[in-house]
Amino acid sequence: MTEIRSEPFVVNIGPQHPSTHGVFRVKVTVDGERIVDAEMVMGYLHRSIEKLAEERTYTQNIPFTDRTDYLSSMSNNLGYCLAVEKLAGIEVPPRGNAIRVIMAELQRLASHCMAIGAFANDTGAWQTPVMWTFREREKILDLFEMTSGARLTCNYMRIGGVAFDLPKEFEPACRKLLATFPSFIDELHGLLSENEIFIARTRGIAVITPEQAINASLSGPMLRGSGVAWDIRKADPYCGYEQYDFDIPVGYNGDSYDRFIVRLEEMRQSVRIIEQALDGLPGGPYRTEVPLALRPPKGEAYARVEGPRGELGYYVVSDGGPAPFRFHIRPPSFINLSLLKEMTVGGTVADAIVALGSVDIVVGEIDR
Amino acid sequence: MSGAPFLATEHWWDLRDLSNISREILEFLDRVGPDWLAYVVSPLIGFVAAFLLFVLPSQLFVGVYGERRLIGRMQSRLGPNRVGKFGLLQPIADAIKLIQKEAITPRGADKWVMWTAPVVFVAPAVLVWAVIPFGPNMVIADIPVGLVYFLAITALPVLAAFMAGWSGNNKYSLFGAMRVVAMAISYEVALVLGLLGVVLFTSTMSLQAIVEWQREHDIWLVFLQPLAFVIYFISASAELNRTPTDIAEAESEIVAGYLTEYSGMKWGLFYGMDIGYALAAAAFGSTVFLGGWSLFGLEEWVPPWLILVAKTHLFYFVFIWTRGTLPRLRIDQLMALAWKYMLPLAAINLLVVAAERLWWHEAGLGDGIVYLFAAANIALALLLVVGWARVLGYRPERVPTRPRLVKHVGGYVAPGAETGGGR
């Protein structure tokens, strides 16, 4: 009997593939179903946002930040505005801060809805969880539309506050949403967290040890899933997060399932924060007036927020002119993705898809 | 088939027994035509009756429209509702669109294999219906080994799927093809072993006789053989590539599996006949396990073929339901399910059935004993499923489904450490 010759072959997962969440490509070398090597190929969505931002004024750059991580535009607006405020030494009135917190947490809910739905889709739950999470996400986007006029790329935060005050109908609508949201999270908990097949597919898949996570500078649910208690909202509070009472969910052993349950629990905590912020919503101005052509003094500033995907940092350098001299984004999903090879090699193709889904990438943010 | 007297008369217009019409036609042909004519026409009548009058409309309106509509409801959306009243013409519009589309054959593909694969896939889907009994006289071919015939015919589409995956010259297709073959081999074993329990109990392989047996004993085999039914359902959905076991065309992993390179009506044939096979599996399942065309005496009043159609569609609904609810298993987990769980359980089931059957006939017990067997087997099935899973290390209570809550930031929170967070 002759030996059957077999050799590993290369499969391109992406750039056009149902599960790469955008135009992202993983070049995997497989031996049968086992992955022996994985190489990430990025840059299909590069729009040169960081360079473009050097040509525009500080205010004009806010819409660009919408388009980096298009699933959490509010958080991106916030990070950028915080960086410029730090640079120019601008104070934000308390009402502005509270509105920012509400919006950032609503954005976290919407973004986690998307993340969980897409992740469930990656495990093969044929569209049902993703439709359910989109249904709830729509309600949040309705709130965004009510306040900012846009649903996805909101462009709502301004340097010194927010663009508009909350409309009269916002608070009842938001409270209505908050009243129904925990039951929806319970529904997802029953549909996915306690589903045997879902557990079998995600538990023990793409394990990241705490050491690995810290060495790779991971952040957000990826880091917390590995059992490391770290949250910018508590470690380096901004916008008055120190006055709200919430907990940091941490996982057990850093697998895909842990990252999923951490996201689910974060949604519960976000609901808590929004409730507190709505209850204590201060009056007064919602914005400090700043000149449209802002010229911050020479210097540099780095501001970070806890975005839905992790530490979202904006680094702005001013040379005293109306446009930033240097504009840099620290995108959480780009850095979270850096462990993809470690997460996928040794697993099967199906595991690789689950691993990629558990990172919760937004390609617009990776390529910028 | 002679059984208890039926209310159905022998008039051709009596819709309770459609075999009357075919008998009238054949007798007429015998009178006016040559001898061989009736032999040629009778399979055609069977084909028209089973396939064109039942399967094709079911495929279109239950398989395509009903499935999309129901799954739409499960996903809190509307589903197709634009073409025709309530969107009822959607499947026809789909078919027209598919026929118009170009059926692309990629360069480097094995053209002949790629073009024959859909044909090889469709032919068994038609043949399968030959042995399904729709009523006491309504079965195209009541052969004594109908059960084996069904299993043999339904093993054929695997070949077509492999041909499709191999010929496309696409790595994803190849993945799908390999997965199809691996799955079919694994699940066929458990499926046959499970069905063997039914054969042992009824001591026949003719589907018509199995229905008659269930009618005589006034019990469905699903109660007598719950484990076999579960094994049949899982194996069937695995062989049919339906979620949660649709790894051969797993969309999120390997794009469309063996169908990746197919387009137009070539793809349409695969899609349509996938539904056809699912319907056949549902009809077979309801015949073997759910009493077929009988419904505890009601079949004398209601047309028996309507009862079978209703049962088939109810069975098919469960396929739709699982598709709308469950995630997909990985290939090695599916293999483990087949070899580590279902095969041993099927073997144990067979042992139990053999013992019961032997005791029943040796001791000369009456027919009433089957109810006792049913109760015992249901309890045993539950016990076996849970027990066997725990023997193989299934411990759901050790899986925490909620994360720990921490009050303050810090480094790594070791397992069992004080977290300070409340719930």
Side-chain angles (χ1 to χ4, degrees):
Chain A
M1 192 179 143
T2 51
E3 188 88 6
I4 296 172
R5 197 174 64 94
S6 76
E7 57 188 40
F9 68 92
V10 176
V11 180
N12 278 308
I13 298 180
Q16 280 144 11
H17 186 279
S19 296
T20 51
H21 305 281
V23 275
F24 172 71
R25 175 172 151 210
V26 196
K27 225 167 107 184
V28 293
T29 311
V30 291
D31 181 13
E33 289 264 350
R34 279 278 144 219
I35 293 178
V36 292
D37 191 22
E39 187 190 326
M40 290 179 278
V41 185
M42 305 171 193
Y44 291 95
L45 209 62
H46 183 65
R47 290 151 298 165
S48 185
I49 281 177
E50 290 179 355
K51 188 69 191 164
L52 282 173
E54 293 171 12
E55 305 294 323
R56 279 154 182 79
T57 66
Y58 286 94
T59 314
Q60 281 174 337
N61 279 337
I62 297 173
F64 277 143
T65 63
D66 284 337
R67 281 151 183 85
T68 55
D69 178 355
Y70 39 77
L71 291 179
S72 58
S73 59
M74 289 285 190
S75 310
N76 279 268
N77 288 171
L78 180 58
Y80 173 68
C81 291
L82 283 177
V84 177
E85 281 154 15
K86 211 168 170 181
L87 194 63
I90 298 166
E91 281 292 315
V92 180
R95 186 174 173 84
N97 266 337
I99 295 176
R100 281 178 169 192
V101 167
I102 293 171
M103 287 303 158
E105 293 306 317
L106 281 176
Q107 186 70 76
R108 190 184 316 280
L109 288 181
S111 178
H112 279 353
C113 271
M114 177 81 198
I116 286 168
F119 180 50
N121 222 15
D122 289 343
T123 64
W126 196 77
Q127 303 286 346
T128 304
V130 80
M131 291 308 294
W132 287 18
T133 52
F134 266 50
R135 180 187 67 203
E136 299 303 313
R137 182 169 170 264
E138 278 302 296
K139 296 175 187 165
I140 299 167
L141 298 188
D142 284 345
L143 290 179
F144 287 167
E145 191 180 5
M146 194 185 283
T147 43
S148 70
R151 297 165 69 82
L152 198 66
T153 49
C154 298
N155 188 20
Y156 181 59
M157 310 283 172
R158 289 289 181 275
I159 297 159
V162 293
F164 321 103
D165 202 358
L166 291 178
K168 240 193 348 279
E169 64 270 24
F170 177 84
E171 199 181 324
C174 188
R175 284 203 189 275
K176 201 174 143 202
L177 174 85
L178 294 181
T180 56
F181 218 85
S183 66
F184 163 67
I185 300 172
D186 289 339
E187 205 175 44
L188 272 186
H189 183 78
L191 185 72
L192 295 172
S193 310
E194 292 178 344
N195 185 323
E196 283 305 328
I197 299 177
F198 188 79
I199 292 175
R201 277 304 302 280
T202 54
R203 219 173 159 68
I205 303 303
V207 176
I208 300 176
T209 61
E211 294 79 33
Q212 266 182 326
I214 291 167
N215 284 347
S217 176
L218 302 190
S219 53
M222 293 280 285
L223 181 64
R224 290 191 282 272
S226 295
V228 182
W230 183 256
D231 192 320
I232 309 290
R233 290 174 293 178
K234 276 196 187 284
D236 181 14
Y238 53 94
C239 292
Y241 263 112
E242 61 276 5
Q243 44 186 307
Y244 305 116
D245 174 41
F246 63 98
D247 299 324
I248 311 168
V250 293
Y252 300 88
N253 41 12
D255 52 22
S256 303
Y257 183 73
D258 277 350
R259 294 194 272 281
F260 162 77
I261 54 175
V262 162
R263 284 201 181 94
L264 207 57
E265 188 64 36
E266 270 179 27
M267 287 164 79
R268 291 182 208 269
Q269 301 299 333
S270 287
V271 170
R272 271 176 75 191
I273 296 173
I274 300 169
E275 271 168 357
Q276 292 170 42
L278 271 182
D279 287 341
L281 193 64
Y286 58 91
R287 182 179 174 187
T288 313
E289 285 305 321
V290 291
L292 207 56
L294 181 71
R295 286 169 191 269
K298 259 188 188 172
E300 54 176 28
Y302 175 77
R304 50 184 184 170
V305 296
E306 181 72 29
R309 285 163 194 80
E311 176 176 342
L312 174 63
Y314 276 86
Y315 175 66
V316 186
V317 182
S318 165
D319 58 354
F325 175 75
R326 176 82 174 95
F327 175 83
H328 176 69
I329 309 168
R330 182 214 188 268
S333 46
F334 176 66
I335 291 161
N336 287 350
L337 199 58
S338 57
L339 277 183
L340 188 70
K341 187 175 172 182
E342 282 79 358
M343 285 158 72
T344 49
V345 169
T348 63
V349 177
D351 289 342
I353 302 296
V354 170
L356 189 61
S358 75
V359 180
D360 181 23
I361 56 167
V362 171
V363 180
E365 185 180 58
I366 294 168
D367 294 342
R368 302 195 288 292
Chain B
M1 183 67 46
S2 63
F6 265 78
L7 289 176
T9 53
E10 303 221 322
H11 302 295
W12 65 269
W13 39 261
D14 194 340
L15 284 180
R16 282 171 296 193
D17 192 350
L18 290 181
S19 68
N20 290 334
I21 304 178
S22 86
R23 196 192 57 241
E24 292 284 338
I25 294 172
L26 291 178
E27 277 173 1
F28 170 76
L29 286 178
D30 235 9
R31 276 201 301 278
V32 298
D35 287 350
W36 49 266
L37 194 59
Y39 292 99
V40 176
V41 173
S42 65
L44 279 180
I45 291 177
F47 170 72
V48 168
F51 200 77
L52 297 188
L53 293 184
F54 167 58
V55 181
L56 220 52
S58 294
Q59 264 172 326
L60 288 178
F61 294 106
V62 178
V64 179
Y65 173 78
E67 178 157 350
R68 285 175 63 179
R69 194 89 181 158
L70 275 171
I71 286 193
R73 285 291 167 191
M74 287 175 196
Q75 296 173 348
S76 63
R77 57 187 174 86
L78 290 172
N81 66 347
R82 285 281 166 257
V83 193
K85 196 91 183 147
F86 308 118
L88 269 170
L89 294 179
Q90 183 67 41
I92 292 163
D94 281 353
I96 292 171
K97 183 204 78 175
L98 281 176
I99 290 167
Q100 286 176 337
K101 271 177 96 173
E102 184 188 359
I104 299 163
T105 311
R107 196 185 304 139
D110 195 331
K111 215 198 254 166
W112 283 105
V113 179
M114 194 167 181
W115 279 86
T116 25
V119 182
V120 177
F121 197 74
V122 169
V126 181
L127 292 175
V128 150
W129 294 93
V131 289
I132 304 285
F134 282 83
N137 301 316
M138 289 168 59
V139 51
I140 300 172
D142 184 17
I143 52 178
V145 286
L147 200 129
V148 176
Y149 172 89
F150 184 89
L151 291 175
I153 291 286
T154 48
L156 277 176
V158 176
L159 181 68
F162 186 73
M163 283 164 74
W166 177 261
S167 62
N169 192 25
N170 179 313
K171 286 164 183 169
Y172 290 119
S173 300
L174 195 60
F175 264 122
M178 292 304 174
R179 287 177 174 192
V180 158
V181 175
M183 287 252 292
I185 290 171
S186 309
Y187 277 87
E188 201 79 40
V189 181
L191 176 66
V192 173
L193 267 184
L195 286 175
L196 215 51
V198 172
V199 173
L200 265 188
F201 239 116
T202 57
S203 55
T204 174
M205 281 194 189
S206 151
L207 294 184
Q208 185 70 280
I210 289 177
V211 175
E212 287 288 344
W213 190 92
Q214 298 180 63
R215 218 174 125 239
E216 272 166 32
H217 292 81
D218 268 331
I219 191 164
W220 289 352
L221 277 162
V222 62
F223 301 118
L224 273 173
Q225 291 284 292
L227 207 54
F229 179 73
V230 171
I231 288 168
Y232 171 77
F233 184 78
I234 296 175
S235 304
S237 65
E239 295 210 8
L240 293 166
N241 270 318
R242 296 191 69 87
T243 333
T245 48
D246 62 336
I247 53 160
E249 39 192 283
E251 193 203 331
S252 58
E253 295 157 24
I254 50 170
V255 189
Y258 59 88
L259 296 177
T260 307
E261 291 295 352
Y262 276 86
S263 60
M265 205 54 209
K266 275 196 294 182
W267 177 83
L269 284 176
F270 274 106
Y271 174 64
M273 286 310 142
D274 253 352
I275 298 167
Y277 282 115
L279 276 170
F284 181 77
S286 25
T287 300
V288 172
F289 290 104
L290 303 179
W293 47 262
S294 71
L295 193 70
F296 307 117
L298 202 69
E299 68 272 12
E300 302 196 14
W301 305 85
V302 182
W305 49 274
L306 262 185
I307 294 175
L308 184 78
V309 168
K311 279 179 182 170
T312 303
H313 289 168
L314 273 178
F315 203 107
Y316 188 75
F317 168 74
V318 184
F319 280 134
I320 298 177
W321 196 6
T322 51
R323 184 169 179 220
T325 329
L326 294 175
R328 178 191 311 122
L329 281 159
R330 211 169 51 215
I331 177 141
D332 55 320
Q333 290 166 343
L334 275 173
M335 293 297 152
L337 183 70
W339 293 105
K340 279 164 72 182
Y341 291 82
M342 290 187 3
L343 191 64
L345 285 184
I348 296 171
N349 183 52
L350 199 61
L351 211 69
V352 172
V353 172
E356 279 174 358
R357 163 88 196 171
L358 190 71
W359 183 48
W360 181 14
H361 282 248
E362 293 284 303
L365 302 165
D367 279 353
I369 193 83
V370 288
Y371 298 107
L372 187 71
F373 286 155
N377 282 355
I378 289 171
L380 200 68
L382 286 174
L383 214 70
L384 271 176
V385 168
V386 177
W388 189 253
R390 293 198 83 89
V391 165
L392 290 177
Y394 169 71
R395 297 284 182 280
E397 65 278 0
R398 288 197 198 152
V399 179
T401 56
R402 295 282 290 267
R404 294 170 290 171
L405 293 176
V406 184
K407 221 47 242 153
H408 301 289
V409 288
Y412 173 58
V413 185
E418 186 56 47
T419 56
R423 172 151 285 142

